Amino acid sequence: MKSYSIALIPGDGIGRDVTAAAWTVLETVAHHSGFAVTGTEFPWSCKFYKETGRMMSEDGIETLRGFDAILLGAVGWPAEVPDSVSLHGLLLPIRKAFVQYANIRPHRLLPGVTGPLRKENFDILCIRENTEGEYSGAGGRVHQGTREEVAVETSIFTRAGVERILRFGFEQAGARRGKLASVTKSNAQKYSMVFWDEITRKLAAEYADVEVTSYHVDALAARMIMAPESLDVLVASNLFGDILTDIGAAIQGGLGYAASANINPDRSAPSMFEPVHGSAPDIAHLGIANPIATIWSGAMMLEHLGETAAAGRIMKALEATTARGIGTTAGKDKTDTITAAIVAALS
Ligand code: GGG
């Protein structure tokens, strides 16, 4: 029987609740579909940092390299560890080390979920550049704590990095409705974003089947709210993609529905799957976190591993569950209730 080795990093707060839920669903669908998943859990988190001074063990990246995929919950416990430390100590190093340069985030309403817009007919796929740009971590502070203090943070855009994410965006658009929105702020950012726009124009000639439009990020943010049905695939830099996908999450009903995949397209290292949401300390361990975003991310993981039918089964079960009104209102249904309903719908 085919078996997939999955590294589980529940992380902090509700990350623990939703990863456990998604794992139950993944084990169930694997059982019904004739393959196995074996999970190895790692305690890397802010708690681990408090105990060891590191967000992950020293050989963490090399340890993860041997797995078929990674399922991550959430990272962050700002009351004890600064968010800049937890993010740069765990999530961002994994994305960079494993060249997971494409962060894919689908935004559409599940049946029974009412978003804040008076529109239901949108289906957007956001592709966020995931390894460089504004989150490169290049910078520093000098004269710290004095009146003369200076903080510098440099965005890094490489031709290789921009070209590969744009190609990925063109390909995704070609496989969907053929429309690509390339997002920059090239009127204000006259080096990096003009560079991005130039590469967009150059590649457009190679993808004649895709209609590409360049937008400024502010206009695109408004369009996601006013006319989301006009959008198909978005491709954006690390920061812009991060922000736009919170709008995407909002219009699809909230962060509890926003799934994501950090993909290494050439498969030279494992890809990582995680809900968009963070650790939500205010509702951690109350058993009321919505596991749907993580379960959907689990379906994206199976799709990536080639288990397309099983991924489809999860999505059908998810949709059948929300169509019954389960998991559609924040805080109404317990994490376990939603998970049990999805598991039942799988059988
Ligand atoms: N579910 C992963 C998580 O903890 N996300 C919170 C977050 O702030 N992520 C930043 C990012 O995606 O770059």
Side-chain angles (χ1 to χ4, degrees):
M1 191 195 299
K2 189 147 197 185
S3 180
Y4 299 97
S5 61
I6 310 298
L8 299 171
I9 310 177
D12 299 297
I14 63 166
R16 309 198 70 73
D17 311 344
V18 295
T19 312
W23 189 247
T24 302
V25 171
L26 286 164
E27 283 191 315
T28 307
V29 81
H31 176 73
H32 290 319
S33 308
F35 63 90
V37 284
T38 53
T40 304
E41 189 169 319
F42 295 93
W44 302 333
S45 59
C46 290
K47 183 167 178 277
F48 187 83
Y49 180 88
K50 293 286 281 181
E51 289 161 6
T52 66
R54 305 181 59 92
M55 283 300 295
M56 66 196 304
S57 36
E58 209 167 344
D59 62 352
I61 293 294
E62 285 323 303
T63 304
L64 290 176
R65 199 179 288 282
F67 286 86
D68 291 319
I70 304 161
L71 183 68
L72 183 137
V75 181
W77 200 258
E80 296 190 1
V81 180
D83 280 341
S84 56
V85 171
S86 53
L87 194 63
H88 281 275
L90 187 55
L91 202 46
L92 300 190
I94 296 173
R95 290 175 180 166
K96 287 177 188 167
F98 294 151
V99 204
Q100 296 167 349
Y101 67 81
N103 185 312
I104 306 178
R105 299 179 165 185
H107 302 296
R108 61 182 168 84
L109 283 168
L110 292 172
V113 178
T114 312
L117 306 180
R118 283 164 301 174
K119 302 190 173 204
E120 296 191 342
N121 56 340
F122 60 87
D123 179 356
I124 301 171
L125 190 69
C126 189
I127 313 288
R128 165 186 171 190
E129 200 295 315
N130 213 28
T131 53
E132 56 175 45
E134 306 88 342
Y135 291 5
S136 297
R141 288 168 68 171
V142 292
H143 309 308
Q144 224 160 322
T146 69
R147 276 168 54 85
E148 290 74 33
E149 182 163 3
V150 179
V152 178
E153 184 128 18
T154 305
S155 299
I156 308 279
F157 288 86
T158 65
R159 184 173 290 280
V162 175
E163 190 167 319
R164 70 189 178 188
I165 196 64
L166 282 166
R167 279 195 188 281
F168 192 85
F170 274 104
E171 277 152 25
Q172 293 292 316
R176 285 172 46 107
R177 301 193 300 280
K179 284 176 68 172
L180 180 66
S182 173
V183 187
T184 64
K185 186 67 182 169
S186 51
N187 54 347
Q189 294 184 291
K190 63 182 186 172
Y191 302 112
S192 57
M193 295 284 160
V194 168
F195 178 59
W196 179 295
D197 281 354
E198 276 173 20
I199 298 175
T200 304
R201 279 195 299 276
K202 187 188 105 197
L203 291 183
E206 291 180 37
Y207 295 92
D209 54 329
V210 175
E211 179 198 332
V212 60
T213 309
S214 289
Y215 290 93
H216 289 151
V217 64
D218 40 359
L220 199 281
R223 179 173 284 269
M224 283 182 81
I225 291 163
M226 302 304 288
E229 71 284 357
S230 69
L231 297 166
D232 178 9
V233 176
L234 314 182
V235 61
S237 65
N238 215 331
L239 173 65
F240 290 173
D242 195 357
I243 297 168
L244 292 174
T245 52
D246 262 41
I247 298 179
I251 65 173
Q252 73 187 129
L255 281 160
Y257 305 101
S260 87
N262 303 275
I263 299 290
N264 171 321
D266 68 14
R267 296 173 186 267
S268 57
S271 292
M272 176 166 67
F273 302 81
E274 53 163 329
V276 171
H277 63 70
S279 59
D282 54 331
I283 58 161
H285 318 312
L286 297 181
I288 56 167
N290 190 336
I292 287 178
T294 317
I295 294 169
W296 188 341
S297 305
M300 293 171 85
M301 180 175 84
L302 293 186
E303 178 89 48
H304 180 74
L305 292 172
E307 297 295 346
T308 307
R313 287 175 86 160
I314 293 182
M315 291 313 295
K316 244 178 107 187
L318 250 180
E319 288 168 2
T321 300
T322 57
R324 289 170 57 211
I326 299 171
T328 54
T329 307
K332 178 175 78 66
D333 298 308
K334 299 268 188 205
T335 311
D336 287 351
T337 309
I338 302 169
T339 309
I342 294 169
V343 165
L346 281 170
S347 318

